Amino acid sequence: MKTGDPIVDRLVDLIAKMPGIGRKTAQRLAFFILAQPEPYALDLSESIRQLKENLRTCPQCFNFCHQELCSVCSQTSRDTGLMCVIEDAMSLNQIERTGHYRGYYHVLQGALSPIHGIGPKELRIQELLARLKTMPVQEVILATNPTLEGEATAMYLAELLGESGVKLSRIGTGIPMGGSLDYVDEITMTKALDNRRTL
Amino acid sequence: MYLESLQTHQFRNLQDQRLELGPGLTVFEGANGQGKTNVLEAIYLLCTGRSFRTHGLIECCRNGTESFSLSGSLQWEPRAKPLAVAYQAGKLQRLVYDTPRTGLEYLQESAIFAFTARSKQLVEGAPEERRRFLDRLVYFFEPHHLRELKEHKRLQQQIRQVLIEQGSPALLRSFKQPYLTLSKRIVGRRIALIENLSNEAQQLFRQLFDFPLQLQFTYQIRNGSSVDQYERQMERIEARERLFKRLMMGPQLDDLSIEHGGFPASKFASSGQIRAFVLSLECAAMQRFRSEKNTDPIFIFDDIDAELDLNRIHQFCSFMQSHGQVLVSTSKHAIIPANMLNRAFFVEQGATRLERNAE
């Protein structure tokens, strides 16, 4: 599905590499950019350039940051007894948006997936172990995604951290708030029942 | 449940046309190679988003074209819903009320059972055919089964990779634990289905096809004996799995043994008997579907006259008369008595002509 124009096709190829975007959507986005006034396209390319030039990885939690430490690690008022382990910076943003969690984070930068060449060494697991030795962490919340790979990563970490004496917990999964039981699929319902709590 | 209409466009050798269908027994008659099976395939594809003949849907496009579309209206109380599938540029789009659906979502919009040339593979084919057959039947009663099979397959791939790379025991365990849980669930469902349908299938086998010998279905767990012992048996086999770098236990390795009169059906049964086994099992599943969902699924029977004698065909049709929408094809004119038929179409060179309508 080529447009015939090498410049447009190159942009389509690049956009189509993004997650969740197929060639058809990539083409639509490319033509959208083409139809916009020039400053929009320049702004877009400049912000992508800046993203790569000015953002780097936080040496403590592996979230992205502008300065030496990320916006979370630089806050000294947070609860040092809590550590939330997540797959990527997007999950961090989601949790931060709630304003409910006051501990620190550790971004693994992925989940275990041997078929994609991602084993324990490819994740920031050693760095997590090192942090746990230096910080007075009392509870580690394993908040990897409830996918096959995310669950396997949580299970792997649970075994690894099992003897460290620190309390381990897994983020809850089940029925979304405001949702009706009528529309919940069987797997989610099973999870919700497995993860039920005593009142 | 029944398909009220079918509209075809550039589908195999079929002329672009609209068929008005309805409940009861419908027959598509015509000489070989005229398009009878194509009509049934179009109905099956419209209801499931899958073909019963091929995985490469490009084969379904009329010669010289690269796209096709099918649409129709499915009556499932309390109302009719429009279904459509459109194949273009190598992709199949599935629509319900003009809204796109994923493959798994679309499958749940209707229920269709099919007996085709491939169905005999249940007895004659490789274990994979029997597993696929079981999973298809389980799916009708527990739709999330297919999603779990998909997850299970992904887990197999991950574990295989860990075994090949000789990953740490902890890494293997982190994938093996969910693998075990899912395996037990999948095997448990398959066994429950077989136990549930066995007696019914046995009865139908005698009642419809008049074969006196005992029919026996037994689920065989590879390297294991029962679901209760699954965990222990899987632990026992782990060292060998590490040595040979492959999984040696799991639902993807199991089989279904079918015996007739105490002997393996694949070796000792006639072609007609094999047809009868599969039909009995399908009919038992349809009976259960009816009692659980309060509606009959659609049933497709390609080449009803092949290998079954006239008496058994009549017995079968008489039984199916009261089972919702049944669509059959045959190359032999008037093989089904007119009083059993609701509708008869004549198929010639891809054109379908209504010959008889009892309504």
Side-chain angles (χ1 to χ4, degrees):
Chain A
M1 209 165 45
K2 297 270 177 188
T3 62
D5 186 290
I7 300 173
V8 177
D9 283 342
R10 185 167 163 250
L11 181 60
V12 170
D13 288 344
L14 291 171
I15 298 173
K17 281 186 179 175
M18 295 180 187
I21 295 187
R23 283 203 70 80
K24 211 168 173 180
T25 310
Q27 220 172 66
R28 204 162 56 232
L29 294 175
F31 281 112
F32 171 79
I33 295 167
L34 191 66
Q36 297 307 300
E38 198 173 326
Y40 174 83
L42 293 177
D43 232 22
L44 182 68
S45 61
E46 177 60 17
S47 54
I48 293 172
R49 196 181 61 79
Q50 280 195 13
L51 194 76
K52 293 307 284 183
E53 276 183 6
N54 299 335
L55 287 184
R56 53 204 181 99
T57 313
C58 172
Q60 285 191 5
C61 72
F62 299 96
N63 182 18
F64 61 82
C65 62
H66 300 274
Q67 288 142 6
E68 203 178 325
L69 290 177
C70 76
S71 56
V72 177
C73 290
S74 54
Q75 291 175 32
T76 49
S77 58
R78 295 186 81 111
D79 185 349
T80 50
L82 274 178
M83 175 72 77
C84 183
V85 180
I86 46 183
E87 285 181 27
D88 50 34
M90 214 165 120
S91 305
L92 187 149
N93 278 337
Q94 288 292 100
I95 300 174
E96 276 300 281
R97 266 175 48 196
T98 65
H100 189 66
Y101 175 73
R102 296 302 304 156
Y104 286 94
Y105 295 93
H106 189 84
V107 183
L108 291 171
Q109 294 189 332
L112 290 172
S113 180
I115 50 172
H116 295 110
I118 306 173
K121 283 180 193 156
E122 281 66 38
L123 302 178
R124 300 290 184 179
I125 293 176
Q126 287 309 316
E127 289 86 344
L128 171 68
L129 297 177
R131 280 182 88 190
L132 293 177
K133 278 181 191 158
T134 57
M135 287 173 73
V137 175
Q138 287 162 355
E139 181 177 354
V140 173
I141 303 167
L142 299 171
T144 50
N145 293 327
T147 56
L148 285 180
E149 288 75 16
E151 290 288 352
T153 309
M155 211 171 279
Y156 181 82
L157 289 174
E159 190 172 332
L160 206 63
L161 302 174
E163 289 167 9
S164 65
V166 68
K167 182 183 168 191
L168 290 174
S169 57
R170 178 83 176 108
I171 196 164
T173 47
I175 299 155
M177 282 300 289
S180 162
L181 295 191
D182 300 351
Y183 300 103
V184 173
D185 66 273
E186 294 84 346
I187 296 172
T188 310
M189 184 63 91
T190 310
K191 279 271 177 196
L193 286 169
D194 287 347
N195 298 330
R196 69 189 183 276
R197 61 193 166 87
T198 316
L199 292 173
Chain B
M1 172 191 325
Y2 62 92
L3 197 65
E4 285 180 326
S5 61
L6 169 74
Q7 173 76 50
T8 63
H9 176 63
Q10 292 187 177
F11 189 81
R12 293 210 187 248
N13 80 329
L14 299 182
Q15 290 184 11
D16 296 350
Q17 58 195 332
R18 183 184 164 87
L19 301 185
E20 299 299 335
L21 303 165
L25 191 55
T26 298
V27 67
F28 294 91
E29 284 181 2
N32 293 334
Q34 298 304 304
K36 303 180 299 291
T37 304
N38 295 347
V39 176
L40 295 186
E41 185 188 20
I43 291 169
Y44 189 83
L45 213 158
L46 176 63
C47 291
T48 61
R50 295 170 183 195
S51 161
F52 58 67
R53 290 158 110 183
T54 177
H55 291 297
L57 290 181
I58 185 79
E59 291 172 30
C60 298
C61 302
R62 188 183 295 160
N63 278 346
T65 67
E66 290 182 348
S67 66
F68 69 81
S69 65
L70 303 166
S71 59
S73 169
L74 181 89
Q75 181 67 47
W76 190 348
E77 294 297 332
R79 56 184 175 166
K81 59 181 161 187
L83 302 178
V85 290
Y87 179 82
Q88 199 171 20
K91 283 189 177 165
L92 186 77
Q93 193 176 32
R94 305 159 183 91
L95 303 163
V96 182
Y97 289 111
D98 288 330
T99 310
R101 294 276 196 273
T102 64
L104 283 183
E105 285 169 354
Y106 192 79
L107 264 179
Q108 290 175 33
E109 297 293 340
S110 66
I112 183 164
F113 284 67
F115 186 91
T116 67
R118 200 179 157 172
S119 299
K120 275 172 63 189
Q121 291 296 310
L122 171 70
V123 178
E124 295 169 336
E128 191 189 351
E129 298 284 347
R130 287 180 279 285
R131 292 193 293 268
R132 193 180 295 137
F133 180 86
L134 284 180
D135 290 329
R136 191 171 57 82
L137 291 190
V138 171
Y139 156 77
F140 282 117
F141 307 104
E142 303 190 52
H144 54 286
H145 185 68
L146 286 192
R147 198 172 122 191
E148 291 199 346
L149 280 174
K150 217 171 153 185
E151 287 185 0
H152 190 270
K153 201 168 178 183
R154 201 173 160 92
L155 277 170
Q156 287 170 44
Q157 292 169 339
Q158 298 284 22
I159 294 170
R160 218 171 280 143
Q161 197 61 35
V162 177
L163 289 170
I164 289 168
E165 290 171 1
Q166 297 181 307
S168 70
L171 180 62
L172 185 63
R173 273 195 295 278
S174 61
F175 285 102
K176 256 305 190 52
Q177 193 53 46
Y179 175 81
L180 170 72
T181 311
L182 269 185
S183 297
K184 275 174 74 175
R185 279 218 290 267
I186 292 167
V187 172
R189 279 191 211 118
R190 286 178 181 171
I191 292 175
L193 178 93
I194 284 299
E195 284 173 356
N196 201 299
L197 298 185
S198 255
N199 285 343
E200 186 77 28
Q202 174 69 43
Q203 264 181 27
L204 288 168
F205 185 59
R206 283 191 185 150
Q207 178 195 334
L208 296 179
F209 303 106
D210 210 14
F211 289 120
L213 289 175
Q214 182 81 17
L215 192 59
Q216 180 133 15
F217 301 96
T218 318
Y219 190 83
Q220 295 176 325
I221 298 174
R222 168 84 72 91
N223 288 320
S225 54
S226 71
V227 182
D228 301 334
Q229 305 287 318
Y230 216 84
E231 201 159 350
R232 214 159 47 85
Q233 285 156 342
M234 209 175 244
E235 268 172 30
R236 201 185 298 152
I237 213 161
E238 197 171 303
R240 275 175 66 200
E241 288 182 329
R242 280 192 159 276
L243 184 67
F244 291 103
K245 297 180 184 173
R246 63 185 165 89
L247 280 161
M248 292 180 161
M249 200 174 164
Q252 74 282 8
L253 301 169
D254 296 347
D255 199 357
L256 175 72
S257 129
I258 304 174
E259 289 188 348
H260 181 222
F263 296 100
S266 58
K267 287 182 185 161
F268 296 99
S270 70
S271 281
Q273 283 172 327
I274 289 175
R275 280 207 145 209
F277 298 152
V278 184
L279 279 169
S280 305
L281 205 53
E282 292 258 9
C283 289
M286 284 194 284
Q287 302 260 52
R288 192 180 150 201
F289 186 92
R290 171 152 72 167
S291 68
E292 279 195 14
K293 315 265 178 183
N294 284 325
T295 184
D296 282 300
I298 300 168
F299 182 55
I300 275 177
F301 193 161
D302 189 24
D303 250 345
I304 193 167
D305 52 277
E307 292 162 338
L308 283 179
D309 56 54
L310 202 59
N311 195 25
R312 289 192 167 95
I313 292 174
H314 288 176
Q315 259 173 281
F316 184 73
C317 288
S318 160
F319 170 76
M320 290 308 291
Q321 254 187 315
S322 57
H323 282 73
Q325 187 175 37
V326 181
L327 305 134
V328 304
S329 73
T330 175
S331 56
K332 296 183 180 66
H333 179 62
I335 197 166
I336 301 170
N339 62 348
M340 290 184 187
L341 281 176
N342 289 70
R343 237 160 268 95
F345 288 94
F346 186 70
V347 186
E348 192 175 30
Q349 292 183 349
T352 306
R353 193 174 68 239
L354 183 66
E355 293 272 287
R356 177 192 157 85
N357 191 349
E359 285 161 13

